[in-house]
Amino acid sequence: MYKLLIGDQRRTGNGAITVIEPATGQPLAEVAAASPADLDDAVAEAKRAFATWSKLTPVARGEMLYRFAELVRAHAEELAVLEARNVGKPIADARWEAGHVAETIRYYAGAVDKFFGHTISVKKGGLDITLHVPLGVVGLIVPWNFPMVIATWKLAPALACGNTVVLKPASLTPLTALRLGELALEAGIPPGVLNVVPGPGGEIGQRLVAHPDVAKIGFTGETATGRAIMATAAQHIKRVGLELGGKSPNIIFADVDVELVAREAANSVFANAGQDCCARSRILVERTAHQRFLEAFVRVTESLVVGDPLDEQTQMGPLISARQREISETYIAVGQSEGARQLCGGQRLPRPGFFLTPAILDGGRPGMRVVEEEIFGPVAVVMTFDTEEEAIELANGTIYGLSGSLWTNDLKRGLRVAQAVRTGVLSVNSSTSVHLQAPFGGMKQSGLGRELGMHALEQYSEVRNIYFETQ
Ligand code: NAP
């Protein structure tokens, strides 16, 4: 059984979570579930550890984080296999993610001693300086689609800044989080600095948010959960960082290489079986390229290899759960009832596990549920536009504003549209949403705050201003 990690103790908690392997539908592991008392103990351990961890110099914390990063690198294959089996993601993707986790920890190990305060010329004279101080105990609550990556985006800057952490992974995918906690201890990071407590979100997650000794919640998950967290956090004016849902646009003008863009479009919506907050699930195509694009897009989509996550050839694995597959199937049916045309996909594979072939719906229009709601599965909706203005209006036509892509060879149009689209991140002639060194996060109901880059250090510290009278 995988046990809770509280301080340096491995605890059996209160009951167990049976973790299912999505590719087989069979149990993969038993994991201890935290009781409310375990959660309180984890917060108490983190509070105790904060007293010393926060007093270390950033350089000293960085040294320990470098060791942590090296250990993650040394265990990258183990972590990748664990993540591939637990989430159902292709092993090649999981390997990239394990490497990215090590890189992220390294980045913040080296970044934190370059996170400077200011010396400010105030009218009164004297000396005015700013300090970046840690917040205290930080609660991190993460989802199941990129479990170790999203946990690390939060815990690495949080620890680097001098906070201590209680991490609650998703109940479906707690395995790599627990392993990361053990590796941190092995790297010499003191007990209590990083505690890992799987448990039900509605009880243990909620208790973490409400806990008076937790200074901030860093959350990634659904917009509805984010709303609930914000409401609870308001009781203590607790800081929150929210990375929420998305319905990201992929805007394609007719002047591009349609074949190339079709390949990119398939990758950017069907990677991770569409369970990606940045999935470009609304594909907006200029009408004059619509038919050409559709032909190429269907061809590429049908050629994607869907199968065993541990097979090197696999490009798309199963969905995380039977429920998540049913949600996608329901949305495909809803789309058809709303007047969209299904061009391919939406089939279960004749084998155990939660496989569903990638589906394309054409004829999307504003007002349709499949156009406005996040599906979080392998379902792309294609829409057409005639003018630049219409493309912008469609792109901005949901409550979300996380990510997106824009394809054109017209530089001036690219600049105009890129500035008009209201998403936290946008890629022009690219499908990449994430750069470790650059800020990542959502506008509108896709979230609050930015992760990655130097911006994440601001999320996990507070600015203090100190004035010295010198006369
Ligand atoms: P979720 O249902 O909101 O769960 C996320 C985490 O919150 C899990 O650990 C969950 O625990 C916990 N939780 C659930 N209810 C809670 C509550 N009332 N209080 C405190 N914690 C609670 O999201 P998900 O289904 O795991 O993940 C998919 C969603 O995440 C999608 O909407 C996706 O767009 C979003 N996402 C966003 C980003 C981004 O960067 N913007 C990145 C990835 C994913 P349990 O597992 O025990 O329920």
Side-chain angles (χ1 to χ4, degrees):
M1 179 192 256
Y2 285 77
K3 295 186 178 156
L4 313 174
L5 183 60
I6 299 175
D8 56 3
Q9 294 176 19
R10 273 68 163 183
R11 290 210 198 162
T12 49
N14 178 25
I17 301 167
T18 301
V19 173
I20 301 296
E21 181 163 14
T24 63
Q26 297 300 312
L28 174 64
E30 291 287 304
V31 176
S35 67
D38 291 322
L39 189 274
D40 292 349
D41 288 349
V43 174
E45 277 296 312
K47 190 174 174 185
R48 186 193 51 70
F50 180 76
T52 45
W53 181 250
S54 61
K55 301 280 185 322
L56 295 178
T57 63
V59 172
R61 287 194 298 265
E63 294 294 339
M64 282 189 238
L65 288 171
Y66 275 126
R67 282 205 291 280
F68 182 23
E70 284 317 307
L71 271 182
V72 169
R73 205 182 292 284
H75 288 80
E77 184 63 15
E78 175 201 341
L79 288 165
V81 171
L82 205 53
E83 196 82 323
R85 292 191 68 186
N86 192 172
V87 185
K89 61 177 74 215
I91 185 67
D93 297 355
R95 283 194 182 113
W96 182 89
E97 289 172 24
H100 176 74
V101 165
E103 268 182 52
T104 305
I105 299 169
R106 271 188 69 81
Y107 176 88
Y108 288 106
V112 69
D113 62 358
K114 294 148 196 95
F115 183 44
F116 306 128
H118 292 107
T119 309
I120 302 172
S121 297
V122 291
K123 184 174 177 185
K124 196 165 184 281
L127 180 65
D128 192 284
I129 62 168
T130 60
L131 300 179
H132 295 138
V133 298
L135 301 167
V137 178
V138 171
L140 304 179
I141 303 178
V142 296
W144 45 260
N145 58 340
F146 294 97
M148 65 176 159
V149 163
I150 291 175
T152 307
W153 286 6
K154 300 179 193 311
L155 69 85
L159 296 182
C161 286
N163 305 282
T164 54
V165 165
V166 176
L167 168 64
K168 197 212 86 65
S171 297
L172 291 169
T173 57
L175 303 185
T176 47
L178 288 164
R179 214 38 209 116
L180 285 177
E182 287 175 354
L183 292 174
L185 275 181
E186 216 178 295
I189 292 178
V193 170
L194 174 58
N195 307 275
V196 188
V197 285
E203 186 191 16
I204 296 304
Q206 177 68 25
R207 195 174 180 90
L208 184 58
V209 177
H211 202 296
D213 288 339
V214 173
K216 169 164 183 158
I217 293 293
F219 171 76
T220 297
E222 287 182 27
T223 294
T225 317
R227 251 181 232 123
I229 285 176
M230 219 171 156
T232 304
Q235 302 305 314
H236 299 279
I237 317 292
K238 189 167 298 193
R239 277 86 182 118
V240 287
L242 303 176
E243 296 290 350
L244 308 175
K247 188 79 182 175
S248 297
N250 203 351
I251 310 165
I252 302 168
F253 285 93
D255 64 348
V256 296
D257 175 346
V258 161
E259 283 287 333
L260 179 138
V261 175
R263 279 198 300 279
E264 290 285 337
N267 182 42
S268 68
V269 59
F270 299 129
N272 215 43
Q275 303 162 125
D276 180 347
C277 53
C278 291
R280 273 61 160 171
S281 52
R282 290 184 300 140
I283 302 179
L284 320 180
V285 192
E286 191 168 4
R287 193 178 306 277
T288 51
H290 180 222
Q291 210 46 47
R292 277 186 296 138
F293 172 78
L294 273 190
E295 281 162 22
F297 187 40
V298 170
R299 188 166 11 88
V300 174
T301 299
E302 287 184 326
S303 74
L304 291 176
V305 181
V306 183
D308 181 357
L310 296 180
D311 184 332
E312 305 281 344
Q313 304 306 315
T314 294
Q315 292 169 292
M316 199 182 110
L319 280 87
I320 187 73
S321 63
R323 178 172 169 269
Q324 205 63 23
R325 177 167 69 177
E326 277 159 26
I327 291 172
S328 292
E329 289 171 330
T330 303
Y331 268 111
I332 292 170
V334 166
Q336 287 175 318
S337 72
E338 289 175 318
R341 199 162 56 99
Q342 185 180 351
L343 302 182
C344 65
Q347 305 298 314
R348 295 185 177 199
L349 295 191
R351 55 173 288 172
F354 313 125
F355 295 90
L356 189 70
T357 57
I360 299 174
L361 298 174
D362 186 36
R365 289 186 312 281
M368 286 181 172
R369 284 184 59 200
V370 287
V371 165
E372 296 187 350
E373 297 174 15
E374 183 181 45
I375 298 174
F376 224 58
V379 184
V381 184
V382 180
M383 309 168 79
T384 50
F385 64 85
D386 290 299
T387 64
E388 190 177 306
E389 293 68 32
E390 194 187 353
I392 293 166
E393 197 180 321
L394 289 174
N396 290 338
T398 74
I399 60 166
Y400 298 112
L402 183 56
S403 185
S405 284
L406 156 61
W407 302 86
T408 180
N409 286 319
D410 178 337
L411 179 62
K412 288 186 180 173
R413 176 163 62 193
L415 287 168
R416 280 194 305 271
V417 178
Q419 290 176 87
V421 170
R422 292 181 57 74
T423 58
V425 292
L426 183 79
S427 310
V428 181
N429 296 332
S430 162
S431 299
T432 306
S433 297
V434 170
H435 306 272
L436 172 51
Q437 297 76 12
F440 174 87
M443 296 174 78
K444 301 195 284 183
Q445 294 191 33
S446 284
L448 278 184
R450 294 292 177 267
E451 307 204 282
L452 296 181
M454 298 300 280
H455 288 260
L457 297 173
E458 288 164 18
Q459 300 286 310
Y460 290 103
S461 58
E462 198 118 49
V463 179
R464 292 194 59 219
N465 188 60
I466 302 184
Y467 173 70
F468 297 85
E469 178 76 67
T470 53
Q471 294 306 315

